[in-house]
Amino acid sequence: YNSSSEALTASVSLVGRKGGIPYALDPWTGRIAPLARYTADGEQYRITVSLAPQEAKTMAVRAAASKQGPHVTDTTADSSLFADGELVVRASSDGNYTTTLSDGRTVTQDVTGVPSAIGIARWDLVVDEYLPGSGDDPSSHTNHADRPFDGIELVPWAAIPEITDAVGIGRYTARVELPGTWTPRHGARLELGTVNGTYRVRVNGRDVGPANQLREQVDVGPSLAAGPNRIEVEVATTMVNRLRVLRPDEYGGQDKQDYGLLGPVFLRPYVQVPVPLSP
C-alpha cells in the first residue's frame, strides 16, 4: 500500500512454496492472473511493484499444479505478461528488445509496426444534469436535464456557462481512426490525464470493464479494430456544486469542484510479441 502522495516503484519480497507461482489479485476488477516477471530463490520471490498514490496491490504465491515453463526475470520491453496462456512482451514503440528468462536464456526481438500515440483533443459531451425536485421538499426526487455540447475542448464543467454549477453524469464521445495494418497483436492504453469524478470507459459500444480509479488509464486493446473506433468516457460527479447553490448556508463554504474529463487524452498503441520458450 502506498500511503504517500507520490507514485513509487519498489522491489518487494514474498515467501512461498519453492517452485510456486506468484499471482496478482486485482481489487478493482477481481481478476487473478499469474505474474510473468519475477525472480525466485528457493522460497523467496522478488517482484517489482509500481503504485500510484494511495494505491494497494495484493499478491500471493500458489503451488504449481504442474511443471511450468520459464518466466521473465528481466526485459527492456515495456512489460511482460501472459496473454491467452502465452508469454508475451509488450512495447509501445518500435525497437530491439532483450528479455532474460528464468532458464538462463536471453531472447532478442525486433518490434515493428507500432502506430504513434493519438491525441484526442475534441469530444462530444452530453451531461445528464441532476436537478432538485420542486415543491416544499426539493430533495424528495431528482429532475434530469440533458445538456449537449458538440466538438468541445476538455475543460471543467465549471468553465462552461450552461453547466457551471451542474452535477450528474457526463458522457464524452470521440472517434479515432486506426490504420488498416492493425492486427490482433496490436492494442492500446487509453490515457485520460485528469478525471475529476469516477469514470468508466466503453469502446465501440463495449464496456471495457471496471477501471482502477486511482490510475487514469485503461487497457482498451481487445475492443479496438482497424478503421474508425468510438471511444466513450462516462464521468459521474458528487453533488457539491449544486448544493453550494441550492443550500448556501450549509455548503456555500465548499470550494467549487472542477468536474469532468480534463485530459490531456491519448490513445497509446502497443504491440505484443510472443516470447519463444524453447531454443
Side-chain angles (χ1 to χ4, degrees), residues 228-262:
N229 291 263
R230 176 185 171 92
I231 310 292
E232 180 181 340
V233 181
E234 182 180 283
V235 179
T237 76
T238 65
M239 305 298 285
V240 169
N241 284 2
R242 177 57 59 191
L243 289 171
R244 291 176 69 256
V245 177
L246 181 65
R247 295 161 67 174
D249 290 346
E250 296 174 74
Y251 296 96
Q254 297 270 3
D255 293 334
K256 180 176 280 193
Q257 303 297 301
D258 286 337
Y259 294 137
L261 172 62
L262 306 185

Side-chain angles (χ1 to χ4, degrees), residues 80-175:
S80 57
L81 65 153
F82 289 102
D84 298 324
E86 187 175 43
L87 181 62
V88 303
V89 292
R90 178 180 289 181
S92 56
S93 61
D94 290 354
N96 184 264
Y97 297 95
T98 300
T99 300
T100 304
L101 299 173
S102 57
D103 60 7
R105 290 187 301 115
T106 297
V107 178
T108 300
Q109 296 171 286
D110 287 322
V111 175
T112 59
V114 184
S116 299
I118 302 169
I120 312 174
R122 290 193 172 272
W123 298 72
D124 294 337
L125 168 63
V126 177
V127 174
D128 174 11
E129 183 178 4
Y130 287 25
L131 294 163
S134 56
D136 296 334
D137 183 7
S139 298
S140 63
H141 65 280
T142 302
N143 290 324
H144 294 263
D146 281 347
R147 312 293 188 196
F149 304 91
D150 295 334
I152 64 168
E153 295 182 350
L154 295 178
V155 297
W157 295 5
I160 302 174
E162 296 89 339
I163 53 172
T164 186
D165 296 313
V167 301
I169 297 176
R171 293 178 177 87
Y172 295 81
T173 57
R175 291 190 178 275

